[in-house]
Amino acid sequence: MSRSNIFQSIQQATQSIPAEAKTPLPDWKPGDLQSAFTPQDQADLWEVFKDRFIAVNGKVIEDTSEFQDILQSEPGSKLYVDPLVFQSIQPLAEGMNLEICQTFDVDHVDDYPISVTLAAGIIAETGTVIIKENQTSSRLSALAPWTHITLVDKRTTVYATLLDAISDLADDPYVVFITGPSKTADVEGILIEGVHGPGEQICLRI
Amino acid sequence: MKTYQPIDAFARDAEPEVKASVYSTSKAKYDKRLASLSTGFTAPDDLRKLAGQIKQHTIEHLDQYLEQAVTNLENNGAKVHFASTPEDANQTILGIMQSINASRMIKSKSMVSEEIHLNAFLEKHGLESVESDLGEFIVQLDDDMPSHIVTPIIHKNRRQIATTFEKHGLGDYNDDPETITRRARKYLREKYLEAEVGLTGANFLSAESGRVAIVTNEGNARFSISANRTHIVLLGIEKLVPRDKDLALYLNLLARSATGQQLTVYTQFLNAPKSADQPDGPEQLHVVFLDNGRSEILGGEFKSILRCIRCGACLNVCPVYRQSSGHAYRAVYPGPVGAVLSPLLKSNSYPDFADLPKASSLCGACNEVCPVDIPLPELLLRHRNKSKIEHQKKAAAGTPPLGAWAELCSHPTLWKTTLATGKAMNHLPIDKMPIPPIQAWTHSRELPEFRGGKFRKWFKQRKS
């Protein structure tokens, strides 16, 4: 009932505007949006991504031992490793005092201080990591732990711009662009990280 | 004083602490916005105009785009509902919850849910509805109203929040912002996991794909789309954009205009229920479209207000908002956008809000910062005109009677005589006279010396 009433009311309104008075749909080109993204930036998208991800308080790790230091900071705890990155991560985490888990128990989400999942993509322009439904085995595993690490490897698509990444969403049911740790400034405008999501957002490339 | 408009009276009586915090936060946001737009783009003004045109085109062809969006949403597996009024929307959401025997909802920030007073409605029906945005959560604990579209507790300080947390058993008094945030994290995490239903708003909906774009910095929308089996998206019918690529334009402008960020921390695209092998997330996806007077606005002289993307930039820049705070606007949408929109929403009554369009100096700053180039000052003037024609009583509040002035202006001899006697005023203690309109002026300013009659003299003596 509501549906047809609302459509009828909208049609009445749109039809009351003379055709020649209606605003045509303007087209725009990628270049219109990228003016500050200079061509030399394109030369090494990883370097640009790194700078911009760090600028939004993300961390970038390119060194195995630095990654292992982070794992060692939570001795005796559970480490969630997405089955999609297990092959790369398991050898690095082996022998540490950690229980490596490939399933994420939603009844105990706070038992995992650290998780590692796959970066489906990165965006250089904005310093963003992309996670996609079909490349993340559990949505909550990438959200609930304090430290969320995304692995960048050859499966990770590197996008120059936000527009490029949006043009490639395909029919994935749920895609998240992550640009830094979870944050708020609700209390007196003071920046606090780690509100509901990770307080540490790390991008790992080894 | 009799000559005050309601909003002036509110500003006069507001706590100095509230005024100071609203002023400093909104100014800081304005400065960040400017910096992020001018370093990000060489011609940000062109983008604003482009975004305005695309939105204007969309609303002028809303029937087509809405049809397209609904078809795509349904093909993607979502169930689509339409609600003419807030009551319809509340009933629809209640119906969804009852159909799965749900008793708990976790909510991300949504201005439309404020518009329909969803929390109060669900509570009345014995259901729990918990706000998960930190600011909205505090508003809910205090049984208060948000006072800003983006930063709902801009009017509160840490001491007030600490007292609220203590009162509600969230720990001993502690006003450290980090402790406040950690306590909310712990408490709300349980609520996410307990709730059967998650609800979010939508920042944009692409007609081309049926894709919903939702942004939050805290991650609360992500939780509401990951921890529950049923998800509801509640949005106004005007939230559409034609193409997916337009999302890139609007997301760039929204983050910069709202918070001065290049991109909001979590920018998510929800397209369908969860995939079969994904353990987390909604099996059922419901999309509820609310009209509440929007389709009527579409047919009239205020239609361009439907371009609004709720960034709050017009609030942050507005001198009246900065002095009076959001609660002065007595409605869900404050600031210049609220002054235009609130009188028009179906659930509000025009006469009750007819004074809001007067709460502006028409300085034009709101139009200059608007990412979709809404001609807000022009719309405010149209409201003033409409109110005058309809003899809206509230719109006349604070307007001094001008009957004597009109008499004077339409009788040249009378005018001439008055000019001659006007000079005598310079020798009278005008500021001490008990005439409210004059007192309102002399209270904070000095009345300039009367120098009338010079033009007439010059005009008479000039050679043609």
Side-chain angles (χ1 to χ4, degrees):
Chain A
M1 190 59 192
S2 284
R3 186 177 186 143
S4 57
N5 285 347
I6 292 171
F7 265 99
Q8 209 180 349
S9 176
I10 295 171
Q11 260 156 11
Q12 228 167 26
T14 53
Q15 281 164 10
S16 72
I17 310 167
E20 65 278 9
K22 283 192 177 181
T23 312
L25 177 62
D27 201 14
W28 55 276
K29 290 182 257 342
D32 297 341
L33 204 52
Q34 291 172 26
S35 41
F37 198 61
T38 50
Q40 62 262 37
D41 282 345
Q42 310 255 2
D44 193 343
L45 292 174
W46 170 253
E47 289 300 320
V48 178
F49 162 79
K50 242 171 74 177
D51 283 354
R52 298 191 180 189
F53 190 61
I54 291 166
V56 292
N57 287 358
K59 249 186 211 152
V60 176
I61 295 179
E62 293 177 279
D63 177 333
T64 320
S65 65
E66 210 181 320
F67 172 61
Q68 287 172 322
D69 288 347
I70 290 175
L71 299 186
Q72 258 158 355
S73 68
E74 295 286 349
S77 67
K78 288 182 176 175
L79 169 71
Y80 174 77
V81 179
D82 193 302
L84 291 168
V85 297
F86 188 76
Q87 236 183 352
S88 316
I89 300 301
Q90 197 266 344
L92 301 172
E94 211 177 28
M96 289 186 185
N97 182 20
L98 290 168
E99 186 189 334
I100 302 176
C101 308
Q102 287 192 78
T103 51
F104 194 82
D105 181 358
V106 292
D107 294 324
H108 298 96
V109 295
D110 292 326
D111 288 0
Y112 310 83
I114 306 172
S115 72
V116 191
T117 72
L118 181 68
I122 55 170
I123 310 173
E125 181 187 32
T126 48
T128 299
V129 172
I130 300 172
I131 57 171
K132 290 195 171 182
E133 175 91 335
N134 54 16
Q135 282 157 299
T136 309
S137 302
S138 148
R139 288 185 191 183
L140 284 168
S141 73
L143 177 61
W146 180 260
T147 303
H148 176 223
I149 304 171
T150 49
L151 177 72
V152 171
D153 67 16
K154 57 181 185 303
R155 290 168 291 180
T156 306
T157 313
V158 179
Y159 300 101
T161 67
L162 177 68
L163 177 62
D164 292 343
I166 286 179
S167 309
D168 195 27
L169 292 171
D171 57 357
D172 198 293
Y174 186 55
V175 182
V176 187
F177 290 1
I178 303 171
T179 313
S182 153
K183 68 176 187 184
T184 187
D186 273 351
V187 181
E188 293 187 4
I190 296 160
L191 175 74
I192 305 290
E193 292 179 337
V195 190
H196 303 294
E200 290 274 4
Q201 193 68 49
I202 299 172
C203 195
L204 173 70
R205 189 170 89 154
I206 40 177
Chain B
M1 213 173 278
K2 270 182 189 166
T3 52
Y4 275 106
Q5 291 176 27
I7 210 159
D8 291 330
F10 193 98
R12 182 195 55 197
D13 300 337
E15 297 285 335
E17 249 186 353
V18 170
K19 273 185 169 171
S21 111
V22 169
Y23 184 84
S24 61
T25 312
S26 50
K27 186 170 182 313
K29 283 203 184 266
Y30 170 75
D31 294 341
K32 273 183 81 178
R33 170 202 161 272
L34 194 63
S36 75
L37 272 168
S38 43
T39 54
F41 302 112
T42 46
D45 211 38
D46 294 349
L47 291 180
R48 231 165 52 79
K49 300 231 154 85
L50 173 68
Q53 277 171 15
I54 295 174
K55 266 282 185 183
Q56 186 70 20
H57 164 84
T58 314
I59 55 174
E60 286 172 1
H61 300 79
L62 192 61
D63 46 346
Q64 295 163 33
Y65 286 117
L66 199 54
E67 188 88 60
Q68 191 188 2
V70 169
T71 307
N72 282 321
L73 282 165
E74 286 174 342
N75 288 342
N76 296 346
K79 187 151 175 19
V80 179
H81 311 260
F82 280 87
S84 293
T85 63
E87 177 62 18
D88 290 350
N90 283 328
Q91 286 293 349
T92 303
I93 293 165
L94 177 67
I96 295 168
M97 289 187 75
Q98 285 171 340
S99 72
I100 53 162
N101 290 319
S103 59
R104 287 163 296 195
M105 169 184 282
I106 188 86
K107 271 192 69 241
S108 184
K109 191 164 148 35
S110 144
M111 292 311 289
V112 174
S113 75
E114 295 287 340
E115 195 180 318
I116 66 172
H117 303 292
L118 178 64
N119 290 340
F121 176 86
L122 291 178
E123 274 162 33
K124 204 173 77 192
H125 286 82
L127 305 178
E128 182 183 86
S129 172
V130 178
E131 292 287 348
S132 59
D133 172 85
L134 180 60
E136 291 283 345
F137 175 58
I138 293 161
V139 163
Q140 189 180 27
L141 289 178
D142 281 343
D143 204 11
D144 196 1
M145 283 263 290
S147 73
H148 189 288
I149 296 174
V150 177
T151 39
I153 52 165
I154 191 171
H155 61 291
K156 287 183 199 289
N157 61 39
R158 62 173 85 183
R159 292 178 297 284
Q160 295 166 311
I161 299 164
T163 310
T164 300
F165 270 40
E166 190 184 21
K167 195 173 113 194
H168 288 272
L170 285 151
D172 297 337
Y173 180 92
N174 189 324
D175 62 14
D176 165 40
E178 183 156 359
T179 306
I180 291 170
T181 311
R182 295 289 167 268
R183 285 174 175 174
R185 177 183 174 102
K186 187 165 178 285
Y187 178 83
L188 289 169
R189 186 155 283 205
E190 279 171 32
K191 294 291 176 189
Y192 286 122
L193 298 164
E194 280 170 12
E196 298 95 345
V197 180
L199 181 138
T200 59
N203 294 95
F204 305 101
L205 167 60
S206 161
E208 178 182 46
S209 59
R211 201 183 300 279
V212 180
I214 308 161
V215 306
T216 77
N217 276 320
E218 295 182 4
N220 47 333
R222 264 184 88 185
F223 248 113
S224 320
I225 303 171
S226 303
N228 327 102
R229 288 284 166 259
T230 301
H231 187 77
I232 302 173
V233 176
L234 172 66
L235 75 167
I237 53 169
E238 82 285 16
K239 283 282 169 188
L240 291 159
V241 296
R243 306 158 291 206
D244 274 21
K245 77 168 190 178
D246 297 322
L247 294 171
L249 171 68
Y250 288 103
L251 289 168
N252 259 303
L253 286 170
L254 175 62
R256 287 181 165 90
S257 304
T259 49
Q261 290 168 277
Q262 193 179 4
L263 194 62
T264 313
V265 172
Y266 301 120
T267 298
Q268 52 220 306
F269 304 93
L270 179 63
N271 204 25
K274 76 176 183 70
S275 41
D277 48 1
Q278 172 63 243
D280 314 325
E283 285 158 359
Q284 276 190 44
L285 176 62
H286 296 270
V287 178
V288 182
F289 286 99
L290 175 72
D291 184 343
N292 194 23
R294 288 165 172 80
S295 59
E296 272 178 42
I297 299 173
L298 185 57
E301 57 181 334
F302 299 104
K303 66 166 88 60
S304 54
I305 198 65
L306 297 175
R307 296 181 201 168
C308 177
I309 60 170
R310 309 281 190 266
C311 70
C314 63
L315 280 61
N316 298 335
V317 78
C318 177
V320 176
Y321 173 84
R322 284 183 181 181
Q323 293 296 332
S324 57
S325 109
H327 287 165
Y329 294 80
R330 313 188 305 276
V332 171
Y333 303 103
V337 58
V340 174
L341 190 59
S342 301
L344 300 171
L345 290 176
K346 197 101 187 193
S347 48
N348 296 340
S349 120
Y350 195 91
D352 287 348
F353 294 94
D355 61 303
L356 292 182
K358 299 286 287 289
S360 166
S361 62
L362 300 176
C363 70
C366 48
N367 172 234
E368 271 176 29
V369 299
C370 178
V372 283
D373 196 26
I374 300 173
L376 286 155
E378 193 184 314
L379 298 181
L380 290 167
L381 276 174
R382 286 183 191 169
H383 266 305
R384 292 184 187 184
N385 186 40
K386 178 175 155 74
S387 293
K388 186 76 190 165
I389 291 167
E390 294 175 2
H391 300 289
Q392 295 290 350
K393 225 171 146 194
K394 270 215 153 140
T399 309
L402 293 172
W405 176 256
E407 279 295 307
L408 208 59
C409 291
S410 43
H411 295 89
T413 323
L414 197 59
W415 177 261
K416 212 172 137 188
T417 320
T418 313
L419 281 182
T421 52
K423 294 223 169 77
M425 289 206 317
N426 291 336
H427 307 289
L428 292 175
I430 296 271
D431 51 342
K432 305 226 163 47
M433 291 181 179
I435 306 167
I438 293 178
Q439 278 181 325
W441 175 276
T442 55
H443 177 65
S444 52
R445 289 156 288 198
E446 276 181 15
L447 206 60
E449 194 185 321
F450 184 83
R451 296 188 295 177
K454 285 191 177 162
F455 174 77
R456 292 176 74 92
K457 207 168 155 190
W458 167 81
F459 193 75
K460 223 174 194 175
Q461 285 170 0
R462 98 200 151 105
K463 290 173 189 133
S464 53

